[in-house]
């Protein structure tokens, strides 16, 4: 296997040398894949290949990632297409580790198109030549297997020591250069993120879950950039709503008679268990209070590190309206990181329900502005939230009870007093 991989790397470098002088006046597209998408009928298999930024993890809410968003975008452009998206992203992987698992995770699916995004973990080692050789080998092997390829630059990042942005930018440039040399379509996600940050630091922060990982807001941007690279057409994913599965783990356990553990910010540590008992009077529930009254965002963020270790079935995330930060970007960053730690590390294994501050009571003007930012943050985690609609005068308990009742019905229940 090692010798075979070495052969692929060497062959790829030879082809890069041969293609090195080729330039294209028009952006390259994966024409065979485009034709299949346009025609419809035949399933079109597309593999999303990369690291944790590609895979499904906490930073997008644990249900979907850019792979899924790309599928949504391509269906908008090609309504007749039968798009089959396959996620081959694994946390911590470099291009070298990706190359080592190509047969199992990519070629075995017989893809028509492979969308490749590596670099975030490669840049910790700072070996540009090895990264270039591995990426060339990945392109070579995809083509050898009959698949077209789109190369993607990774997103930019917050300042951090392991992945300095100036070094990451050099890895992004390798991807750009290689795409040109090997006549491969390019989705320049790094530049797209740079453009957002130059325009608005707050808008850029709303793309990020924490220092390096984008949230679903960022993954929608990924998919829009990739779709333009594949199809040549601009598409918006602003209308893509979260999956209709809020409370699915909690209600499943309660219906089967299993005990549940709730981790909830005040005052929902009392309100949510009481509302659930309206539907499940005999349920065994343990509640852990996440203290937030009078706490700063710093303190809330520190406490968030406990959440996964508590092994909850339900997390109720409800930062009060009076909690402030020094600036909007700082508020967004800390809200994002606290909420991110309220999800399973990988694919979702428990429920996370955000509650907007206005549910608990009236907000002043500055708190209303922060609530609007909170809504945009929550959208980045691909989950439904509990909110107070315009003109609603109900109590927080009433709003929560009605929301839970609605979720019971949506998940196939009969409402209150369900057994």
């Amino acid at each position: 296997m090692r010798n075979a991989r070495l052969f692929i790397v060497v062959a790829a470098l030879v082809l890069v040398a041969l293609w090195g002088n080729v330039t294209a006046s028009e952006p390259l597209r994966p024409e065979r894949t485009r034709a299949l998408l346009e025609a419809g009928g035949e399933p079109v298999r597309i593999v999303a290949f990369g690291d944790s930024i590609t895979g499904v993890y906490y930073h997008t809410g644990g249900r979907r990632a850019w792979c899924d968003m790309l599928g949504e975008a391509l269906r908008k452009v090609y309504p007749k297409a039968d798009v089959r998206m396959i996620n081959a992203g694994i946390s911590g992987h470099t291009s070298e580790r990706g190359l080592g698992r190509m047969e199992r995770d990519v070629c075995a699916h017989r893809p028509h198109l492979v969308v490749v995004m590596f670099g975030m973990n490669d840049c910790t080692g700072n070996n540009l030549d090895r990264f270039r050789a591995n990426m060339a080998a990945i392109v070579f092997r995809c083509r050898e297997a009959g698949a077209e390829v789109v190369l993607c630059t990774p997103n930019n990042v917050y300042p951090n020591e392991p992945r300095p942005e100036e070094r990451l930018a050099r890895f992004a440039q390798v991807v750009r250069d290689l795409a040109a040399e090997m006549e491969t379509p390019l989705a320049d996600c790094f530049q797209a993120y740079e453009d957002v940050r130059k325009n608005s630091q707050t808008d850029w922060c709303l793309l990020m879950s924490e220092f390096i990982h984008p949230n679903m807001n960022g993954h929608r941007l990924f998919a829009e950039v990739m779709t333009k690279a594949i199809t040549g057409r601009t598409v918006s994913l602003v209308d893509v709503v979260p999956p209709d599965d809020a409370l699915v783990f909690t209600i499943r356990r309660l219906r089967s008679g299993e005990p549940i553990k709730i981790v909830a910010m005040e005052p929902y540590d009392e309100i949510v268990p009481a509302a659930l008992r309206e539907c499940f009077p005999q349920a065994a529930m343990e509640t852990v209070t996440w203290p937030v009254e009078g706490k700063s965002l710093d303190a809330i963020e520190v406490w968030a590190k406990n959440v996964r270790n508590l092994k909850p079935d339900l997390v109720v995330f409800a930062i009060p309206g009076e909690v402030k930060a020094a600036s909007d970007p700082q508020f967004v960053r800390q809200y994002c990181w606290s909420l991110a730690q309220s999800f399973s590390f990988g694919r979702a294994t428990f429920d996370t329900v955000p509650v907007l501050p206005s549910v608990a009571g009236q907000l002043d003007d500055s708190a209303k502005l922060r609530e609007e930012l909170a809504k945009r943050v929550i959208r980045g985690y691909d989950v439904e939230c509990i909110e107070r609609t315009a003109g609603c005068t109900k109590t927080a308990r009433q709003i929560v009870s009605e929301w839970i009742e609605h979720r019971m019905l949506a998940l196939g229940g009969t409402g209150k007093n369900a057994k």
Side-chain angles (χ1 to χ4, degrees):
M1 177 63 74
R2 184 177 181 85
N3 289 337
R5 197 185 310 166
L6 180 61
F7 169 77
I8 291 171
V9 171
V10 172
L13 290 175
V14 171
L15 289 175
V16 169
L18 292 174
W19 286 326
N21 295 321
V22 176
T23 59
S25 57
E26 295 293 329
L28 295 162
R29 312 286 180 210
E31 297 299 345
R32 285 183 287 117
T33 302
R34 289 175 73 190
L36 289 171
L37 290 166
E38 183 71 45
E42 179 182 347
V44 181
R45 295 177 296 277
I46 301 175
V47 172
F49 189 36
D51 49 36
S52 61
I53 293 173
T54 297
V56 180
Y57 294 92
Y58 65 91
H59 38 82
T60 56
R63 286 168 171 81
R64 303 186 293 185
W66 68 252
C67 175
D68 308 272
M69 294 299 104
L70 178 57
E72 294 277 352
L74 291 174
R75 293 181 192 102
K76 282 176 174 280
V77 177
Y78 302 108
K80 295 188 296 183
D82 181 2
V83 183
R84 308 286 178 89
M85 299 301 303
I86 301 147
N87 196 319
I90 298 180
S91 178
H93 275 208
T94 60
S95 58
E96 185 165 357
R97 293 187 70 182
L99 182 60
R101 61 182 172 90
M102 281 197 69
E103 300 307 313
R104 180 194 71 199
D105 291 350
V106 179
C107 300
H109 296 289
R110 297 181 295 112
H112 297 95
L113 177 67
V114 183
V115 184
V116 183
M117 182 190 285
F118 285 102
M120 190 64 71
N121 295 318
D122 292 85
C123 85
T124 62
N126 200 26
N127 192 321
L128 290 167
D129 291 338
R130 182 177 298 172
F131 176 63
R132 183 176 184 274
N134 289 335
M135 293 295 283
I138 287 170
V139 174
F140 175 80
R141 183 65 191 97
C142 288
R143 288 173 169 169
E144 188 180 56
E148 293 178 295
V149 183
V150 171
L151 290 178
C152 307
T153 55
N155 55 279
N156 61 14
V157 294
Y158 278 101
N160 72 97
E161 187 174 335
R163 299 168 178 85
E165 191 164 59
E166 62 275 12
R167 188 160 73 214
L168 181 59
R170 292 198 291 271
F171 279 78
Q173 189 59 46
V174 168
V175 177
R176 295 187 192 103
D177 294 342
L178 189 64
E181 291 164 7
M182 297 189 75
E183 297 187 84
T184 301
L186 172 71
D188 198 344
C189 299
F190 189 96
Q191 187 59 53
Y193 275 64
E194 284 283 282
D195 292 343
V196 172
R197 185 157 61 181
K198 287 174 186 174
N199 185 61
S200 168
Q201 181 70 18
T202 298
D203 287 348
W204 181 83
C205 291
L206 284 159
L207 300 176
M208 300 296 290
S209 175
E210 25 77 4
F211 290 107
I212 65 171
H213 293 102
N215 59 29
M216 187 56 83
N217 295 328
H219 280 238
R220 281 192 293 271
L221 178 57
F222 279 154
E224 290 168 357
V225 174
M226 294 167 185
T227 300
K228 184 67 178 288
I230 294 167
T231 71
R233 292 171 59 181
T234 299
V235 66
S236 172
L237 295 174
V238 68
D239 59 343
V240 176
V241 299
D244 187 25
D245 62 355
L247 281 189
V248 63
F249 296 103
T250 302
I251 290 176
R252 184 184 300 158
R253 287 183 65 86
L254 289 169
R255 283 179 177 159
S256 65
E258 298 176 76
I260 64 166
K261 178 185 277 190
I262 303 168
V263 175
M265 291 183 175
E266 302 159 310
Y268 301 97
D269 56 333
E270 296 180 358
I271 290 174
V272 169
L276 285 170
R277 287 197 187 282
E278 294 177 9
C279 296
F280 300 95
Q282 307 303 318
M285 302 182 197
E286 177 188 354
T287 303
V288 178
T289 299
W290 185 338
V292 293
E293 291 184 6
K295 303 293 185 182
S296 66
L297 268 176
D298 288 337
I300 292 170
E301 184 179 347
V302 169
W303 205 96
K305 297 175 183 177
N306 300 321
V307 172
R308 291 183 197 133
N309 291 334
L310 291 170
K311 301 187 183 307
D313 300 296
L314 170 61
V315 178
V316 184
F317 186 91
I319 291 181
E322 63 269 18
V323 174
K324 301 177 183 178
S327 65
D328 286 350
Q330 183 67 14
F331 177 82
V332 169
R333 193 205 72 75
Q334 292 193 274
Y335 199 112
C336 280
W337 190 216
S338 298
L339 181 53
Q341 294 186 94
S342 302
F343 290 90
S344 313
F345 177 79
R347 287 191 176 269
T349 57
F350 57 81
D351 295 307
T352 302
V353 177
V355 185
L356 290 175
S358 59
V359 172
Q362 292 291 321
L363 302 178
D364 61 27
D365 289 344
S366 63
K368 287 177 182 177
L369 292 175
R370 289 193 297 276
E371 176 163 285
E372 289 305 310
L373 287 176
K375 282 185 184 180
R376 296 173 67 187
V377 170
I378 291 164
R379 179 166 162 72
Y381 291 91
D382 211 22
V383 290
E384 183 180 337
C385 68
I386 304 177
E387 57 185 313
R388 181 182 293 275
T389 57
C392 175
T393 58
K394 295 174 182 175
T395 65
R397 170 66 183 274
Q398 289 171 322
I399 292 171
V400 170
S401 292
E402 289 180 8
W403 185 85
I404 289 174
E405 178 80 1
H406 168 75
R407 293 311 309 156
M408 286 285 298
L409 295 171
L411 295 170
T414 56
K416 292 183 179 180
N417 301 317
K419 302 297 182 186

